[in-house]
Structures are given as C-alpha cells and as structure tokens.
Amino acid sequence: MDDPGNGGRAALVQLQAYLAQMDHAGETRLPAERELSESLGVSRGDLRKALAVLEKDGRIWRHVGRGTFVGSGPVEETIGISEIAGRTNPADVMRARLIIEPEIAREAALHATLSDIASMRQSLVQTREAVTWRQYENIDNLLHRQIAQASRNNVLLGLFDVLNAVRRTVVWGRLRSEGARPPADHHSFADHERIVEAIAERDLGGAAAAMRLHLQQVERRLIPVREAAE
C-alpha cells in the first residue's frame, strides 16, 4: 500500500471505518467528495489521497457519471475490520488498547527521532485548535499513529492500524453531549502532553504509564461503570 502521508493516512483510517459501517448497512455507493470529506472531518485533498489508495488496492471503483462504489475485488482489510467490529464492543476495544498502546508508547520513548517528537508536538497544538469534535478526533487519531510510527516497529504499527480502524468503526457516529467542540479543559489535552513529554525525555516507564492513564480516562468516559458491570 502506498503511504499517502500523515494527513492522507488519517483520512484513510477514517474512510476505512466509514466503509466498514457501510458494509453493515448493505450500501455500496459513496457520497460525493464534499459531503464525505465533511462527514469524515478531513480535507478534500487528503480524502482524495485516501480514495486513491483504496482504488489502487481494489477496494473501491469509480464509474464516470455515477459515482464511487465499494468494490467487489480484494477487500480483505475492510472485510476483516468490519467482521471484527461486528463481533466486538467498546469495552473489548478499550481492553485491547490498554494492553497494546502503553507498550507502543514505551517503544516510542526509546526510538523516537527529533522529527517524530516535533510532529507530535504540532499535533498537540492542532488538537487544541480543533473547532469540531470530528476534527479533534481526526487529529487525535493522527497523534496516536505518530506515536506508533515512532516505535520503529512495523509489527506494532500494523497492530495499531488494525486496532485503530476497529475502534473508529465501533464508535463511529457516537453522539457527544459536551458541545460542538472539545472544551478548553478537555482531559485529553493534558494527557497527550504528558505522553509526548515522557517520550521526548526518553522516559520509557513514564511514557507507558501516561498512555495507560490516558486510556483509562477515555475508558471511564466511553463506558460508564454501570454499563461495564452488566
């Protein structure tokens, strides 16, 4: 698969989750680019990069005058993600994240380059500047992948990509009650800063602990104690 760059990669993960949801709904035709980019919270340029990757892989196809459709060719990743998502729930996804992502952060603290850390810090700024929840989630997704990339371990990166695509599919369309955009005191802002600073300081244990604490906070908000106990 060609690498569409960070923005395109973030759009690709969002698009894969969207396709998996379409698979559940039995739909095959994608919305127009403008509508789809707004729905995913990505730019049209990044969306086109993601669409190009999926078209090259045979997952979608275009018909002039009719639109873009989910293809019937080799769609192994999309089908796999859709099937996994259909058999799981947010609690299972969070448990998997708690097992995998702290160790990814530990490896990132060991292997991250100055360029990796600069990219993470740029994403930290962008999360605070997000004007919608969808935009925030897209940048949040990018930041977590930047951490996985910094591990310099392609197996961990591949596991992260699959887990992240399942996560996006399972929570796709979840309504938020906190307003149109993240509040200024949103817990993830400080959580993310602690993770990135631990990585920058080469604090392996601190990076893993900060990621674990962050995911535990996300878990508490995503899965109420009452629901988790049922």
Side-chain angles (χ1 to χ4, degrees), residues 113-174:
T113 66
L114 293 177
S115 177
D116 291 330
I117 294 166
S119 295
M120 293 177 203
R121 285 176 169 157
Q122 180 180 13
S123 293
L124 291 178
V125 173
Q126 291 174 338
T127 57
R128 288 184 179 273
E129 294 175 345
V131 296
T132 65
W133 275 108
R134 184 67 71 198
Q135 187 180 63
Y136 165 79
E137 289 164 357
N138 195 38
I139 302 166
D140 171 75
N141 171 71
L142 173 59
L143 173 60
H144 280 265
R145 191 173 196 278
Q146 287 169 336
I147 294 169
Q149 285 178 308
S151 74
R152 293 295 181 273
N153 185 311
N154 286 330
V155 175
L156 288 176
L157 180 59
L159 288 172
F160 171 84
D161 281 342
V162 172
L163 177 57
N164 198 36
V166 171
R167 173 177 73 94
R168 303 301 300 166
T169 304
V170 169
V171 303
W172 180 265
R174 182 169 62 91

Side-chain angles (χ1 to χ4, degrees), residues 22-57:
M22 285 186 66
D23 183 71
H24 290 315
E27 300 171 353
T28 60
R29 184 176 178 177
L30 293 177
E33 272 189 11
R34 180 175 180 179
E35 178 184 347
L36 186 56
S37 65
E38 291 176 355
S39 179
L40 299 179
V42 301
S43 70
R44 293 182 71 175
D46 285 339
L47 174 62
R48 290 189 188 106
K49 293 176 185 177
L51 289 169
V53 170
L54 295 187
E55 184 175 21
K56 184 175 180 180
D57 287 352

